[in-house]
Amino acid sequence: MEIERIKRVGIAAACNGGKVLREHFGKLRSVRKKGAIDLVSEADIRSEATIIDTIAKAFPDHAILAEESGTHAGSGGRWIIDPLDGTTNFAHNLPLFCVSIAFAVDDRILAGFVLAPLLGELFVGVKDQGAQLNGIYISVSNTPILADSLLVTGFPYDHQTIFEPLMGRFGSCLTATQGVRRLGSAALDLCYVASGRFDGFWEQHLKPWDTAAGFLVATEAGARTTVFSGAPYAIDKDEIVSTNGLIHDELLNLLE
């Protein structure tokens, strides 16, 4: 597999999707509800179409898993796409959103691309090659203890079904740390752990397109990522914890 070509196409696809989002930002004409608080807009749809078109021109045989259009059969590799992670932020004219694209072979994530177009930040991770932000290598923080840490989390769309344990974990982490933030984009949360802006992240009920790219970026930046039990994380898992490694066990204890 020619990883440098994968990298070039992944970056191009992210940038093309990001251009669509910039063009639509602040100009949405319609937003549809997929669930009570799960939104989709014409920006999601058009960004995804542009991303898929960019990838398909370079790799017409590859499979695709995309949030809005689902599974596209193929072979030789699979692209996992979230054309707009942070749709609710986007719909409210908040610039905290991104394009998230990962490339995998046999369920192994080999490359990840996360572009926050209005913030001008492109995170790229390539298996065994490290992680970069706008071409500069990044690494996780060196905060040694949970009490000195800043964490980030997210609330799933079906939060009412797990409200009590969700709030219990949030409260425990809030009281044990410097603070907890909630940005509204899991892909950015993982990249912010990768770049040391946050010391740890946890969330439940995410989908593969939410985490695949950010997971690899964080891993290549030195993050430790598991599920709440401490078992290894994979993108088909229902929960995720990603930290600088130093605070990981402390955080897991709070999430039990």
Side-chain angles (χ1 to χ4, degrees):
M1 182 59 63
E2 188 182 348
I3 197 64
E4 285 304 313
R5 187 171 177 227
I6 294 292
K7 183 178 176 181
R8 289 196 301 272
V9 172
I11 291 173
C15 290
N16 289 343
K19 180 181 178 182
V20 172
L21 299 184
R22 285 196 304 272
E23 291 171 350
H24 283 79
F25 186 72
K27 304 172 185 176
L28 286 183
R29 291 171 295 182
S30 64
V31 178
R32 176 171 57 86
K33 287 186 175 182
K34 294 189 288 185
I37 57 174
D38 188 3
L39 307 179
V40 62
S41 70
E42 69 263 27
D44 299 71
I45 303 300
R46 293 181 181 177
S47 174
E48 183 170 294
T50 298
I51 292 166
I52 291 174
D53 182 64
T54 303
I55 292 169
K57 285 179 178 177
F59 300 104
D61 296 332
H62 283 187
I64 287 173
L65 173 62
E67 179 177 10
E68 305 305 337
S69 60
T71 300
H72 305 243
S75 60
R78 180 172 66 149
W79 296 82
I80 305 169
I81 301 165
D82 190 337
L84 173 48
D85 187 37
T87 301
T88 301
N89 286 349
F90 188 93
H92 288 268
N93 295 331
L94 294 173
L96 288 168
F97 59 85
C98 65
V99 174
S100 177
I101 303 171
F103 176 76
V105 173
D106 298 328
D107 294 327
R108 293 173 54 246
I109 308 299
L110 301 182
F113 314 93
V114 177
L115 173 66
L118 290 193
L119 303 180
E121 294 190 330
L122 173 64
F123 295 88
V124 176
V126 177
K127 181 70 173 175
D128 298 326
Q129 293 186 21
Q132 297 181 339
L133 166 56
N134 292 345
I136 305 299
Y137 283 99
I138 55 176
S139 63
V140 296
S141 72
N142 59 5
T143 305
I145 59 174
L146 197 62
D148 292 337
S149 298
L150 181 63
L151 305 182
V152 64
T153 190
F155 303 140
Y157 291 121
D158 60 346
H159 60 261
Q160 292 183 344
T161 65
I162 56 170
F163 189 79
E164 289 188 9
L166 187 74
M167 289 297 100
R169 293 186 178 106
F170 182 83
S172 296
C173 291
L174 185 61
T175 57
T177 65
Q178 291 286 304
V180 179
R181 302 292 182 259
R182 200 287 196 195
L183 302 185
S185 167
L188 285 181
D189 292 340
L190 284 161
C191 289
Y192 287 2
V193 170
S195 57
R197 295 171 180 174
F198 292 120
D199 305 299
F201 161 67
W202 86 96
E203 193 167 345
Q204 296 170 261
H205 295 192
L206 292 170
K207 300 296 185 181
W209 47 78
D210 296 314
T211 59
F215 165 60
L216 187 71
V217 172
T219 299
E220 288 298 312
R224 177 183 172 190
T225 305
T226 69
V227 296
F228 291 1
S229 69
Y233 176 74
I235 60 171
D236 61 345
K237 301 296 183 182
D238 190 52
E239 56 194 33
I240 184 171
V241 186
S242 187
T243 74
N244 64 6
L246 300 174
I247 66 164
H248 202 88
D249 290 335
E250 276 191 280
L251 181 55
L252 291 180
N253 288 336
L254 293 182
L255 299 177
E256 287 180 347

